[in-house]
Amino acid sequence: MIVSVTVNGEQRSASVFGSESLLVVLRDELRLAGSKNACEEGECGSCSVLLDGRLVCSCLVMAADTDGSTVTTVEGVAGADGSIHRVQQALLEAGATQCGFCTPGFVMAIVDLLEGEPHPGTADIGEALAGNICRCTGYGSIVRAVRRLADSSER
């Protein structure tokens, strides 16, 4: 089956098979390798994307169900000039990107959080990050980066 999806603002078509996940189509067919394939069970958050404006684990979404949808991947949050997103910059500055495997999922979760609540409290941050697992940095540096963004007035 052919699905037509707007990915990072660009209309794309992909050939999908059976129960193939959105993650597989993004990585293998559309060559967007930012979303990582880690657990394939929706437990780690490394494959998180925005699907029609909602944060989802792309490994749990059947690609066939995305026809006509809009997807934003970690590649799509960069500036039009190629500059990194302020969330990515904050994570870099806080030392919250060791191996980087979980980083795309954290970026998407934080972008989603800040779009909905520009000045989240500690509980909001914890809840927003709960779907992501990091095995390298611990979570202190990641939370500090989000706190700094939440406390800043820039949007």
Side-chain angles (χ1 to χ4, degrees):
M1 143 180 218
I2 302 293
V3 296
S4 181
V5 182
T6 302
V7 180
N8 301 330
E10 181 183 334
Q11 191 66 33
R12 305 283 302 265
S13 293
S15 191
V16 303
F17 302 95
S19 61
E20 193 169 45
S21 72
L22 174 59
L23 175 62
V24 168
V25 170
L26 289 171
R27 289 182 58 82
D28 296 349
E29 180 130 357
L30 300 181
R31 301 291 182 225
L32 295 168
S35 301
K36 302 303 181 209
N37 188 355
C39 73
E40 294 188 56
E41 296 177 356
E43 296 293 326
C44 73
S46 294
C47 68
S48 296
V49 299
L50 296 175
L51 176 62
D52 295 327
R54 196 178 61 127
L55 187 68
V56 299
C57 290
S58 61
C59 70
L60 297 179
V61 175
M62 289 181 57
D65 292 338
T66 65
D67 191 47
S69 294
T70 299
V71 176
T72 304
T73 69
V74 70
E75 292 93 344
V77 300
D81 62 356
S83 61
I84 64 174
H85 191 277
R86 70 186 193 101
V87 168
Q88 294 166 311
Q89 185 64 44
L91 290 170
L92 284 171
E93 290 171 2
T97 58
Q98 284 187 18
C99 85
F101 204 81
C102 67
T103 304
F106 275 106
V107 167
M108 297 308 296
I110 297 165
V111 165
D112 182 57
L113 168 66
L114 295 176
E115 284 180 0
E117 176 54 61
H119 303 287
T122 303
D124 296 323
I125 294 169
E127 184 175 331
L129 301 182
N132 297 80
I133 295 173
C134 175
R135 292 182 176 95
C136 296
T137 67
Y139 298 89
S141 56
I142 297 167
V143 171
R144 279 191 298 281
V146 180
R147 285 272 9 121
R148 200 173 104 230
L149 289 167
D151 292 342
S152 77
S153 60
E154 71 181 271
R155 219 18 220 147

